[in-house]
């Protein structure tokens, strides 16, 4: 398990602090630093590479007994880029060249810099990557490269980008590869273009949906291609070390970062990005953005799902109190930070790195983020780290071999739904990501393990018992076929209103023109406004009573062979029907979206009941069932079983119940973090585990073979 911290975003911290800081990191038990190698800093003049500070830092790091991960920041362009290449500016949606400026939270480097569709800019950035790769390839303590920090490119733009001639040329080339010829594009788009020059990109929301959706798809593809380019050029310089990249926009539950000019998923689709590198990661700043345990875990799980069979890392974990300007934000107590760490490892992360060791000194991030920062908790954080790293060292083999158990529940992410919504509403609406995020949060609070599956990479669905399809206005044909076949083979699909209502290019389809919905027998009477003052609909299902939250609209369902589970003001609101050997549960509103806006215990109870009825309940159950308080994951490490538990509440004695084969014959386990014995009992087919949870504590229970 890697546990590292970011150190040295040049030129800070200054050299005079390096040796002592590295010594303290090593004393705290960290095993690596994560350092920013900024193109603008390293190549201050064309062809003039200055590595002296990095040479010294990397040498000092090795002497301190630490490894190094080099984060190559090619997106911060040298100040000479536009002077040497005046035609390299991005062009915004109004046709204006974008004036690059120094990034607000870094002392060196232009953003957005030169467009990476510009052939010279692309080659120069590649030259930088090869140069640094060759320079440090032979470093004994080099752990890995991170070739793209937070997939950052569209920042400080003051307009949607990019519409320069180089990008338009790349866009039309991509369209040609996708459609084959203009006639095929015209048929799909319902156009009569005569030449490729007539085919224009969608520039902003509330224009034509088709052009806007497709241009967003191109931008996401273009980002993935740029990631491949970066990784390939680094490999040309260093073919041996692992290459990582990490995002800050978690695609299933977000569409953009802080820049209001970002198009939906312009930083890419995580499920496509992850396949371009050896490992994929995410940035997590839960205290800064006031993320609950469930929301924090959803970001981790979505990233793990995107990484697939590749390792995933938490590449930036909040080290101390955040800063975003002159002011004071929430501190980071030691126990909270420890829960984030063990939450990450329990979900399968292979590495965690803090942002950052020392408080920042530049711009809006000044005086924030440091593990050793001055928010009143630094000493406790460092002491807690020493305990954690001692456990990581003592049980290295056991923890390195750990993998969470496979999930039997999945939630579908369809990128086209994010892009359809942005084409109409821009950043003003977030119904698609909120719908996905709502279900992830509900599953977290139900303590139900799950995967996120993207329609662009569904893979084998046979291991899932229940799949949820939120805000399903678009379901691309290949995914529709895979999901329908899975249902007909015995799976249970929970699908929200208006499934398959729009095709891939945004065109609305009448009910009898929706192949996916027709195949599964999903029929409704159309969208209706939610009655004024109504926020929920009452239900009474299988002894479970509560309120089903409403959002977007309600659609009375017309499914004659179905069983009504929830009635609405205009007719059935939730209906269950057979489909082949499987089951479809249709929901005539967007409950996931409503739930993300406001937690609904009634919705949790209903979802939990449906999971239980269709084989989606977890094999392990906790007597304290609220996933905002107690979170857990379990899995195998060789022949042993590990149970990771975090407790955001008061001290409590809880019982875990699960399959008898999970618990040792001797009836005992051990908490690796506290050293306490854990009592286990077997009774028939069920086993129970008695665990004392410390207030705000983290626990790793070892159950031997």
């Amino acid at each position: 398990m890697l546990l590292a911290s970011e150190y040295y975003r040049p030129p800070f911290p200054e050299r005079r602090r390096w040796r002592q800081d590295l010594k303290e990191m090593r004393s705290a038990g960290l095993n690596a630093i994560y350092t920013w190698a900024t193109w603008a800093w390293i190549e201050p003049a064309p062809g003039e590479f200055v590595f002296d500070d990095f040479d010294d830092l990397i040498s000092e790091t090795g002497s301190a007994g630490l490894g190094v991960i080099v984060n190559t920041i090619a997106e911060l362009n040298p100040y000479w880029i536009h002077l040497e290449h005046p035609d390299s500016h991005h062009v915004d949606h109004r046709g204006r060249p974008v004036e690059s400026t120094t990034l607000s939270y870094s002392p060196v480097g232009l953003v957005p810099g030169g467009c990476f569709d510009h052939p010279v800019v692309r080659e120069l950035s590649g030259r930088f990557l090869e140069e640094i790769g060759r320079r440090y390839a032979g470093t004994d303590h080099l752990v890995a490269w991170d070739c793209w920090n937070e997939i950052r490119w569209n920042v400080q733009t003051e307009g949607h980008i990019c519409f320069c001639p180089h990008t338009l040329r790349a866009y039309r080339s991509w369209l040609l590869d996708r459609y084959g010829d203009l006639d095929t594009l015209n048929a799909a788009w319902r156009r009569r273009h005569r030449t490729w020059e007539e085919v224009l990109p969608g520039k902003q929301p509330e224009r034509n949906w088709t052009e806007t959706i497709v241009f967003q798809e191109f931008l996401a593809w273009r980002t993935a291609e740029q990631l491949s380019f970066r990784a390939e050029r680094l490999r040309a310089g260093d073919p041996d070390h692992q290459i990582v990249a990490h995002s800050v926009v978690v695609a299933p539950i977000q569409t953009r970062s802080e820049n209001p000019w970002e198009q939906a998923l312009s930083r890419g689709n995580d499920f496509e990005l992850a396949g371009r590198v050896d490992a994929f990661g995410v940035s997590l700043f839960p205290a800064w953005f006031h993320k609950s345990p469930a929301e924090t875990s959803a970001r981790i799980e979505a990233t793990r799902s995107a990484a697939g069979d590749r390792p995933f890392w938490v590449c930036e974990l909040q080290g101390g109190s955040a800063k975003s300007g002159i002011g004071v934000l929430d501190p980071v107590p030691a126990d909270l930070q420890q829960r984030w760490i063990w939450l990450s490892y329990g979900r399968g992360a292979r590495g965690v790195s803090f942002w950052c060791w020392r408080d920042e000194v530049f711009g809006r991030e000044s005086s924030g983020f440091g593990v050793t920062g001055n928010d009143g908790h630094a000493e406790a954080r460092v002491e807690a780290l020493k305990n954690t790293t001692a456990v990581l060292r003592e049980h290295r083999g056991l923890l390195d071999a750990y993998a969470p158990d496979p999930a039997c529940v999945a939630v579908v992410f369809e990128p086209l739904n994010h892009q359809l919504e942005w084409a109409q509403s821009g950043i003003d609406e977030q119904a698609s990501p909120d719908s996905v995020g709502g279900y992830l949060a509900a599953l977290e609070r139900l303590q139900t393990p799950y995967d996120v599956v993207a329609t662009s990479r569904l893979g084998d669905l046979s291991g899932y018992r229940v799949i949820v399809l939120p805000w399903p206005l678009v379901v691309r044909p290949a995914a529709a076929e895979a999901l329908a076949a899975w249902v007909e083979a015995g799976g249970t699909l929970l699908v929200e209103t208006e499934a398959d209502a729009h095709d891939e290019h945004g065109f609305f389809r009448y009910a009898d023109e929706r192949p996916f919905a027709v195949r599964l027998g999903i029929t409704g009477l159309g969208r209706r406004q939610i009655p004024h003052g109504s926020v929920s609909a009452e239900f009474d299902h299988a002894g479970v009573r509560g309120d089903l939250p409403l959002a977007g609209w309600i659609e009375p369902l017309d499914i004659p062979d179905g069983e009504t589970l929830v009635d609405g003001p205009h007719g059935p609101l939730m209906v269950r029907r057979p489909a082949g050997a499987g089951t479809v549960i249709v929901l005539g509103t967007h409950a996931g979206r409503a739930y993300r806006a406001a937690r609904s215990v009634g919705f949790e109870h209903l979802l939990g009941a449906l999971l239980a009825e269709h084989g989606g309940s977890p094999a392990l159950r906790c007597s304290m069932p609220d996933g905002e308080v107690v979170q857990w994951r379990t899995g195998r490490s060789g022949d042993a079983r590990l149970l990771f538990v975090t407790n955001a509440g008061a001290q409590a004695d809880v019982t875990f119940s699960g399959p008898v084969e999970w618990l040792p014959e001797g009836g005992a386990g051990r908490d690796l973090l506290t050293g306490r014995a854990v009592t286990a009992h077997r009774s028939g087919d069920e086993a129970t585990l008695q665990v004392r949870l410390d207030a705000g504590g983290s626990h790793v229970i070892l159950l031997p073979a």
Side-chain angles (χ1 to χ4, degrees):
M1 294 287 191
L2 175 77
L3 189 58
S5 179
E6 189 276 337
Y7 192 78
Y8 194 55
R9 175 159 59 177
F12 303 108
E14 295 172 346
R15 286 173 180 262
R16 62 190 175 88
R17 300 193 181 276
W18 293 358
R19 186 165 296 179
Q20 183 61 30
D21 286 348
L22 294 171
K23 179 181 177 181
E24 291 176 2
M25 281 189 250
R26 182 60 179 160
S27 175
L30 302 188
N31 47 28
I33 69 166
Y34 216 112
T35 190
W36 263 41
T38 305
W39 180 20
W41 179 257
I42 290 171
E43 193 177 359
E48 178 186 324
F49 294 95
V50 181
F51 288 107
D52 54 353
D53 51 342
F54 280 97
D55 289 347
D56 292 345
L57 177 65
I58 290 172
S59 176
E60 289 276 8
T61 301
S63 298
L66 294 165
V68 61
I69 301 112
V70 179
N71 197 174
T72 55
I73 313 298
E75 60 273 18
L76 295 191
N77 284 195
Y79 289 99
W80 47 261
I81 197 74
H82 297 311
L83 299 175
E84 295 287 326
H85 306 285
D87 64 338
S88 65
H89 289 272
H90 289 84
V91 174
D92 72 13
H93 66 290
R94 295 185 178 93
R96 305 170 302 186
V98 177
E99 293 297 325
S100 296
T101 54
T102 302
L103 183 64
S104 64
Y105 45 90
S106 178
V108 171
L110 288 179
V111 291
C115 176
F116 53 69
D117 289 318
H118 187 288
V120 177
V121 172
R122 182 179 174 92
E123 177 53 34
L124 290 172
S125 67
R127 183 180 69 179
F128 158 69
L129 293 167
E130 280 194 42
E131 190 76 19
I132 195 170
R134 279 193 298 270
R135 189 169 192 90
Y136 299 118
T139 302
D140 291 338
H141 55 289
L142 180 65
V143 176
W145 301 92
D146 187 328
C147 70
W148 204 346
N149 181 281
E150 297 187 339
I151 319 297
R152 179 189 298 103
W153 67 273
N154 185 348
V155 290
Q156 296 179 194
T157 57
E158 299 168 356
H160 304 300
I161 60 172
C162 180
F163 302 93
C164 76
H166 308 286
T167 298
L168 294 181
R169 191 177 304 116
Y171 174 54
R172 290 175 179 130
S173 175
W174 175 79
L175 290 173
L176 179 59
D177 287 343
R178 178 175 183 172
Y179 293 101
D181 55 48
L182 197 56
D183 288 342
T184 304
L185 180 144
N186 280 331
W189 290 22
R190 280 73 157 179
R191 304 289 192 271
R192 290 181 175 177
H193 291 309
R194 299 168 302 149
T195 67
W196 286 103
E197 287 69 31
E198 291 182 0
V199 182
L200 302 175
K203 290 190 172 184
Q204 64 185 77
E206 298 186 356
R207 298 296 190 267
N208 190 280
W209 285 2
T210 299
E211 278 87 342
T212 308
I213 290 169
V214 174
F215 190 65
Q216 289 176 87
E217 289 187 90
F218 163 72
L219 291 177
W221 169 86
R222 170 182 180 259
T223 298
E225 287 297 298
Q226 173 67 3
L227 178 57
S228 290
F229 170 78
R230 292 184 182 212
E232 288 162 6
R233 295 302 289 265
L234 260 178
R235 283 196 182 97
D238 178 2
D240 298 323
H241 286 95
Q242 187 178 39
I243 297 178
V244 185
H246 74 278
S247 184
V248 68
V249 175
V250 178
I253 58 176
Q254 285 179 276
T255 59
R256 63 176 184 88
S257 188
E258 73 277 6
N259 181 13
W261 298 106
E262 288 184 34
Q263 299 94 328
L265 305 181
S266 64
R267 294 202 192 201
N269 172 357
D270 295 350
F271 289 79
E272 300 303 317
L273 296 172
R276 310 298 180 106
V277 286
D278 301 319
F280 193 69
V282 67
S283 293
L284 286 179
F285 293 88
W288 185 6
F289 296 107
H290 306 290
K291 296 298 182 184
S292 72
E295 287 277 351
T296 300
S297 298
R299 290 178 64 84
I300 296 171
E301 290 288 9
T303 304
R304 175 195 59 77
S305 298
D309 58 1
R310 289 170 165 77
F312 89 93
W313 294 9
V314 177
C315 297
E316 296 184 35
L317 179 64
Q318 187 170 344
S321 175
K323 294 294 184 294
S324 186
I326 300 171
V328 180
L329 298 178
D330 293 350
V332 177
D335 60 349
L336 176 60
Q337 187 173 79
Q338 288 296 307
R339 293 200 298 276
W340 297 338
I341 293 169
W342 290 108
L343 193 68
S344 301
Y345 288 145
R347 307 295 172 116
R350 314 315 300 171
V352 173
S353 182
F354 297 110
W355 187 280
C356 45
W357 185 251
R358 275 188 168 273
D359 272 344
E360 293 289 359
V361 302
F362 185 82
R364 75 184 195 197
E365 296 187 352
S366 297
S367 78
F369 299 101
V371 172
T372 60
N374 193 18
D375 66 351
H377 296 270
E379 185 176 344
R381 285 193 295 261
V382 171
E383 285 304 308
L385 277 178
K386 291 178 179 178
N387 295 331
T388 289
T389 54
V391 172
L392 294 177
R393 287 193 302 271
E394 182 181 356
H395 302 287
R396 177 178 176 179
L398 182 74
L399 294 169
D400 283 350
Y402 166 76
D405 288 334
C408 65
V409 176
V411 179
V412 177
F413 159 50
E414 171 56 84
L416 285 168
N417 285 316
H418 287 15
Q419 291 156 342
L420 169 68
E421 184 177 34
W422 192 90
Q424 172 54 38
S425 304
I427 64 173
D428 293 335
E429 293 286 341
Q430 295 287 300
S432 180
D434 282 350
S435 294
V436 177
Y439 281 99
L440 302 194
L443 291 168
E444 288 290 343
R445 290 164 181 152
L446 289 168
Q447 298 176 335
T448 299
Y450 59 89
D451 292 331
V452 181
V453 293
T455 56
S456 56
R457 204 183 72 191
L458 278 182
D460 181 11
L461 302 178
S462 62
Y464 300 117
R465 303 286 186 84
V466 178
I467 293 179
V468 180
L469 182 55
W471 218 77
L473 275 67
V474 180
V475 187
R476 67 187 69 207
E481 172 60 34
L483 288 167
W486 171 82
V487 171
E488 291 164 351
T492 296
L493 180 70
L494 171 58
V495 56
E496 290 191 329
T497 175
E498 286 282 79
D500 209 21
H502 295 263
D503 72 10
E504 293 174 279
H505 297 93
F507 291 102
F508 180 76
R509 299 194 282 209
Y510 299 115
D512 61 355
E513 298 172 342
R514 305 172 184 178
F516 177 67
V518 169
R519 180 170 172 178
L520 294 181
I522 301 170
T523 53
L525 300 178
R527 307 171 195 178
R528 305 285 189 271
Q529 288 184 321
I530 297 172
H532 181 70
S534 296
V535 295
S536 62
E538 293 183 359
F539 67 84
D540 183 350
H541 172 68
V544 177
R545 295 183 179 183
D547 294 314
L548 177 69
L550 309 175
W553 60 77
I554 53 177
E555 180 188 21
L557 302 172
D558 182 21
I559 305 177
D561 61 346
E563 171 195 4
T564 298
L565 304 181
V566 180
D567 270 314
H570 302 293
L573 192 60
M574 178 182 274
V575 173
R576 176 166 54 190
R577 74 171 300 274
T583 303
V584 177
I585 301 171
V586 188
L587 179 56
T589 190
H590 296 124
R593 178 187 180 188
Y595 180 85
R596 195 177 195 191
R599 183 177 181 180
S600 163
V601 174
F603 178 64
E604 292 170 16
H605 290 167
L606 179 58
L607 181 59
L610 293 172
L611 291 173
E613 291 169 13
H614 294 278
S617 295
L620 191 67
R621 301 176 305 284
C622 179
S623 63
M624 187 176 288
D626 185 354
E628 281 291 7
V629 180
V630 174
Q631 295 183 289
W632 61 263
R633 283 295 186 270
T634 185
R636 306 294 303 187
S637 176
D639 292 332
R641 175 165 290 278
L642 292 175
L643 171 62
F644 292 74
V645 187
T646 60
N647 174 33
Q651 183 187 78
D653 293 319
V654 302
T655 301
F656 286 92
S657 305
V660 68
E661 62 269 18
W662 282 12
L663 297 181
E665 290 284 356
R670 182 163 60 94
D671 187 337
L672 302 183
L673 299 189
T674 67
R676 293 195 293 259
V678 175
T679 304
H681 300 283
R682 293 178 173 218
S683 178
D685 293 335
E686 186 172 79
T688 58
L689 195 67
Q690 308 297 322
V691 181
R692 168 155 291 182
L693 301 182
D694 294 337
S698 301
H699 304 269
V700 181
I701 312 301
L702 169 63
L703 301 173

